């Protein structure tokens, strides 16, 4: 049998969006603007949730977790993407690649679980309103949030160790914007069946099951809302979950479009543009959606602005 020449790599080269070299500055400018909006918008939501006592509820506790997650998720990849766009030095160390893969995959998995937890919170708030304070107590909220982070981190740790432990046969060019796990797999020179099995199990746990649970939660929510006689009551009930439902549809819709659309030889550049959209646009939209469609946040902003203005005068 022939022995394959396994090479110890210390550096990877990211070859993402190579099909659009003339647009790199445009991509840089757009990504930079959106990254700044992500940092400011999500930091604003976290700050307002802490400062306003009326927002010290389970819903805004989970929303603060989501905002912090979005900041971390984009910060794991976007700064390097910006540097690569403007400098043309598309290299990343082996360790840096592993770290980026761990945080990107871990935070993405965590968001799937967190969105499911938020759907359960909305289910209890609308379908069990009298028992809501008892069921969604501080201990349970903290436990669910902590488990979202821990399960996402554990999933990422296992998959990152398996991926970065693969032998690479000298090819160190990753045909992607970041150290995305599927792109790194292509550099391996051994069978990756174990990695694929673990990924399949992970997809069931972090994609299929959350989607099913969210669908069940909103089925009960819809059934409960339709039973409300008052039109005002229906509108108020729907407004409490419309922002979360919008975020869920955008988030999972993007994932399904990315990974389930038919592949073609000429679609790689388009796939990378979609991945860039997924990395920066969705985290940017989250605080905008929750701010524009939420009366509590608007009232908190007015109160905070009034306090700041009165102190200034």
């Amino acid at each position: 049998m022939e022995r394959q020449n396994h090479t110890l790599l210390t550096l990877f080269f990211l070859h993402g969006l190579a099909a659009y070299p003339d647009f790199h500055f445009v991509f840089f400018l757009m990504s930079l603007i959106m990254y700044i909006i992500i940092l400011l918008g999500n930091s604003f939501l976290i700050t307002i949730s802490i400062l306003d006592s009326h927002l010290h509820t389970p819903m805004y506790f989970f929303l603060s977790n989501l905002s912090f997650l979005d900041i971390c998720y984009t910060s794991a990849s976007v700064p390097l993407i910006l540097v690569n766009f403007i400098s043309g030095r598309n290299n990343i160390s082996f360790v840096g690649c592993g770290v980026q893969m761990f945080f990107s995959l871990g935070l993405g998995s965590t968001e799937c679980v967190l969105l499911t937890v938020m759907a359960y919170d909305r289910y209890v708030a609308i379908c069990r309103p009298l028992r809501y304070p008892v069921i969604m107590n501080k201990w349970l909220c903290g436990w669910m949030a902590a488990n979202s982070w821990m399960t996402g981190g554990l999933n990422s740790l296992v998959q990152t160790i398996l991926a970065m432990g693969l032998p690479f046969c000298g090819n160190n060019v990753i045909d992607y914007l970041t150290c995305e796990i599927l792109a790194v797999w292509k550099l391996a020179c051994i069978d990756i069946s174990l990695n694929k099995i673990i990924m399949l199990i992970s997809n069931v746990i972090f994609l299929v099951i959350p989607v099913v649970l969210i669908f069940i939660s909103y089925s009960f929510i819809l059934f409960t809302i339709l039973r409300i006689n008052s039109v005002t009551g229906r509108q108020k009930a729907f407004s409490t979950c419309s922002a979360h439902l919008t975020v869920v549809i955008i988030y999972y819709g993007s994932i399904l479009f990315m990974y389930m659309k038919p592949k073609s030889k000429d679609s790689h550049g388009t796939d990378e543009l979609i991945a860039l959209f997924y990395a920066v646009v969705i985290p940017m939209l989250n605080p905008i959606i929750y701010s524009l469609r939420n009366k509590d946040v608007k009232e908190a902003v007015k109160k905070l602005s009034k306090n700041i203005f009165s102190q200034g005068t």
Side-chain angles (χ1 to χ4, degrees), residues 39 45 113 116 120 137 170 202 208:
L39 295 179
L45 271 181
V113 181
T116 309
Y120 175 72
N137 55 70
S202 171
V208 178

Side-chain angles (χ1 to χ4, degrees), residues 10-313:
T10 59
L11 200 68
F12 288 106
F13 290 94
L14 302 172
H15 200 55
L17 289 176
Y20 308 97
D22 297 333
F23 294 94
H24 278 195
F25 181 74
V26 176
F27 294 146
F28 165 81
L29 199 59
M30 292 176 60
S31 300
L32 177 61
I33 293 171
M34 287 188 283
Y35 182 53
I36 292 172
I37 294 173
I38 289 167
L39 295 179
L40 294 177
N42 285 288
S43 298
F44 165 77
L45 271 181
I46 295 172
T47 304
I48 204 75
S49 298
I50 294 173
L51 294 179
D52 194 308
S53 59
H54 292 94
L55 301 183
H56 292 176
T57 63
M59 176 181 172
Y60 293 101
F61 170 72
F62 293 127
L63 179 56
S64 296
N65 273 265
L66 181 63
S67 295
F68 180 68
L69 186 150
D70 283 338
I71 291 173
C72 295
Y73 179 78
T74 52
S75 297
S77 57
V78 174
L80 180 62
I81 292 175
L82 293 174
V83 171
N84 291 345
F85 275 149
I86 202 67
S87 68
R89 295 179 59 187
N90 300 334
N91 59 298
I92 184 172
S93 68
F94 181 87
V95 174
C97 183
V99 170
Q100 186 184 75
M101 182 188 297
F102 169 77
F103 280 106
S104 296
L105 184 59
L107 293 168
S109 302
T110 299
E111 183 156 359
C112 292
V113 181
L114 192 58
L115 288 174
T116 309
V117 169
M118 294 174 75
Y120 175 72
D121 172 68
R122 294 299 83 208
Y123 158 75
V124 178
I126 294 174
C127 301
R128 300 288 186 270
L130 298 180
R131 291 184 53 81
Y132 181 72
V134 178
I135 296 174
M136 299 303 294
N137 55 70
K138 289 184 178 181
W139 183 88
L140 181 63
C141 292
W143 182 83
M144 290 194 295
N147 272 274
S148 299
W149 289 91
M150 287 190 294
T151 53
L154 181 61
N155 170 58
S156 180
L157 181 64
V158 171
Q159 296 209 54
T160 301
I161 290 174
L162 289 174
M164 301 309 290
L166 293 170
F168 304 107
C169 302
N171 183 10
N172 62 344
V173 178
I174 298 175
D175 196 16
Y176 213 72
L177 280 166
T178 62
C179 285
E180 203 263 347
I181 189 168
L182 299 180
V184 174
W185 279 2
K186 295 178 181 179
L187 307 184
C189 50
I190 64 168
D191 182 67
I192 57 171
S193 296
L194 175 62
N195 301 70
K196 291 181 178 179
I197 292 172
I198 298 297
M199 177 65 79
L200 178 62
I201 296 172
S202 171
N203 287 341
V204 172
I205 295 173
F206 291 96
L207 289 177
V208 178
I209 293 178
V211 168
V212 171
L213 293 176
I214 291 171
F215 177 78
I216 293 173
S217 296
Y218 274 101
S219 296
F220 281 108
I221 289 172
L222 180 61
F223 179 73
T224 302
I225 291 175
L226 292 177
R227 292 175 61 187
I228 299 174
N229 295 324
S230 168
V231 176
T232 305
R234 289 182 184 179
Q235 291 176 345
K236 185 178 179 181
F238 183 75
S239 67
T240 62
C241 58
S242 59
H244 174 260
L245 184 59
T246 303
V247 169
V248 167
I249 292 173
I250 294 174
Y251 183 76
Y252 282 105
S254 300
I255 292 177
L256 292 174
F257 183 78
M258 280 173 58
Y259 292 104
M260 298 189 70
K261 72 182 186 67
K263 300 291 181 181
S264 65
K265 292 181 180 179
D266 301 324
S267 68
H268 183 70
T270 305
D271 292 343
E272 289 183 299
L273 288 174
I274 296 170
L276 185 62
F277 170 89
Y278 176 78
V280 294
V281 176
I282 294 178
M284 180 189 70
L285 290 177
N286 286 351
I288 296 174
I289 293 170
Y290 278 103
S291 298
L292 294 178
R293 300 181 66 87
N294 197 300
K295 292 181 180 179
D296 293 334
V297 173
K298 292 178 181 178
E299 290 297 324
V301 172
K302 290 179 182 178
K303 185 192 297 184
L304 183 62
S305 302
K306 186 177 180 180
N307 291 337
I308 294 173
F309 181 77
S310 61
Q311 289 176 4
T313 55

